Amino acid sequence: MRLIVLGSGAGGGIPQWNANNAGSSRAFRGERASPRRTQASIAVSANGTDWLLVNASPDLRQQIIATRALHPQGSARRHSPIKAVVLTGADIDQIAGLLTMRERQAFALHATARVHETLRANAVFNVLADDVVARHAIAVGTPFSPLPGLAVTARTVPGKVALYLEKTDEPGLGSAPEDTIALTIEEPATGRRVLFAPSCARIDDAVRGLADGADVMLFDGTLFTDDEMIASGEGAKTSRRMGHAPVTGDGGSLDAFQGVANRRKLYIHINNTNPMAATDSAEHARVRAAGWEIAEDGMEIVL
Ligand code: MLT
Ligand code: MN
């Protein structure tokens, strides 16, 4: 199985168009220690020819251009190696790239019923015509095969409904359990297993169980501390309120996964306020010393 990190940044990316903080400014200037990060997405393939796209970020076009394996191949006038897309939620950084995938190219689109409803409710997504793009509802807990050689299982994890669908007068913001899913992506032929969880608000025993034994885990690394947005004056919400467990502090992912065995643990979906994004930071060193890696755009993992 091959996995390519197309984007390692959180919503907005690094740099983010209107962010003037240290992380963003350094990335705007092109400093090597502050690598640019497009919005979180991965591509996975069992045969190296047909690719599964996991989340369609607003940066998809740029990500495809940067990734040779995703360029059109062969002599047909229209072609894409991307044969299937799986969405883990309906946030803008998870779905906006679907609009890049217009032009009547066939692929299979897998998402929970709730996410499909959201896409149906937004007429702009009808550019993905039903006679070309097959929409499949994901049944949580039931493995499905979006491509030959890959088995995907979705599991609900603590989280919330997409930001623009929040109902602030309802309990839980109007969220349903299906609104945030993590994916186990397995290659049955080799037994290799990836856990992809770019959003997870709390790490409980069930989440630890999903991570346990995964060869590679790609986990929510949005914010370093719970009050990061508040302390920097860039937002009013805690990390948990945004649906993301912080990396450090009480219940932080760095501690919560201690003792869980993985060959590789990587943070993905990293926000421009997160100091660990800069490779010369103390926070970066701390995370690396704890056995974690920080995903970067273009990183390829062969399992
Ligand atoms: C998130 O992960 O919290 C969302 O991507 C936020 C957003 O849509 O900006
Ligand atoms: Mn996001």
Side-chain angles (χ1 to χ4, degrees):
M1 171 161 46
R2 282 172 68 191
L3 183 159
I4 301 175
V5 175
L6 301 180
S8 56
I14 307 179
Q16 174 177 305
W17 75 284
N18 66 340
N20 212 9
N21 53 35
S24 234
S25 308
R26 294 183 76 192
F28 270 121
R29 287 197 296 269
E31 285 189 31
R32 281 176 70 112
S34 203
R36 290 180 180 160
R37 300 175 188 276
T38 60
Q39 293 163 81
S41 173
I42 61 171
V44 182
S45 179
N47 62 10
T49 304
D50 304 313
W51 288 82
L52 167 66
L53 179 70
V54 183
N55 289 339
S57 111
D59 302 314
L60 180 60
R61 178 176 172 278
Q62 179 185 345
Q63 293 167 342
I64 289 172
I65 292 169
T67 309
R68 202 186 175 92
L70 301 184
H71 294 180
Q73 316 279 330
S75 56
R77 292 296 180 97
R78 294 288 173 107
H79 175 267
S80 170
I82 300 173
K83 303 290 190 234
V85 179
V86 178
L87 305 175
T88 63
D91 262 318
I92 290 167
D93 60 343
Q94 295 164 319
I95 64 170
L98 291 173
L99 301 177
T100 294
M101 302 182 76
R102 62 196 185 280
E103 318 292 4
R104 294 192 63 79
Q105 185 68 37
F107 64 92
L109 178 58
H110 300 263
T112 61
R114 294 256 298 179
V115 171
H116 279 305
E117 275 171 33
T118 299
L119 299 178
R120 285 284 181 216
N122 285 273
V124 69
F125 291 103
N126 292 341
V127 289
L128 304 178
D130 283 333
D131 61 327
V132 185
V133 176
R135 303 190 192 197
H136 303 277
I138 294 174
V140 170
T142 304
F144 62 99
S145 182
L147 285 183
L150 291 179
V152 175
T153 310
R155 306 278 179 184
T156 60
V157 293
K160 66 167 188 67
V161 71
L163 179 60
Y164 61 92
L165 295 173
E166 287 183 2
K167 298 187 175 117
T168 46
D169 53 343
E170 286 190 17
L173 305 165
S175 306
E178 276 194 4
D179 285 331
T180 310
I181 57 172
L183 302 178
T184 293
I185 306 169
E186 286 181 272
E187 185 180 34
T190 58
R192 297 288 190 221
R193 175 156 60 95
V194 173
L195 175 67
F196 180 68
S199 289
C200 182
R202 190 165 31 83
I203 299 148
D204 54 16
D205 285 342
V207 173
R208 271 188 290 271
L210 288 179
D212 192 30
D215 295 284
V216 173
M217 157 156 84
L218 289 146
F219 194 80
D220 187 340
T222 310
L223 299 184
F224 201 71
T225 51
D226 196 36
D227 69 348
E228 188 167 305
M229 301 296 292
I230 301 165
S232 73
E234 290 177 70
K237 296 176 191 165
T238 63
S239 180
R240 287 191 179 81
R241 167 62 183 79
M242 292 165 65
H244 303 288
V247 171
T248 59
D250 202 24
S253 49
L254 216 48
D255 286 343
F257 286 110
Q258 268 187 29
V260 174
N262 306 105
R263 207 170 300 172
R264 291 177 77 171
K265 284 185 175 73
L266 299 98
Y267 281 117
I268 194 165
H269 193 277
I270 300 154
N271 197 51
N272 55 77
T273 53
N274 190 330
M276 76 178 186
T279 57
D280 57 0
S281 67
E283 292 84 357
H284 187 95
R286 178 173 165 197
V287 164
R288 298 284 287 137
W292 284 77
E293 297 171 68
I294 296 175
E296 286 200 15
D297 292 23
M299 189 182 244
E300 176 161 352
I301 297 173
V302 181
L303 291 100

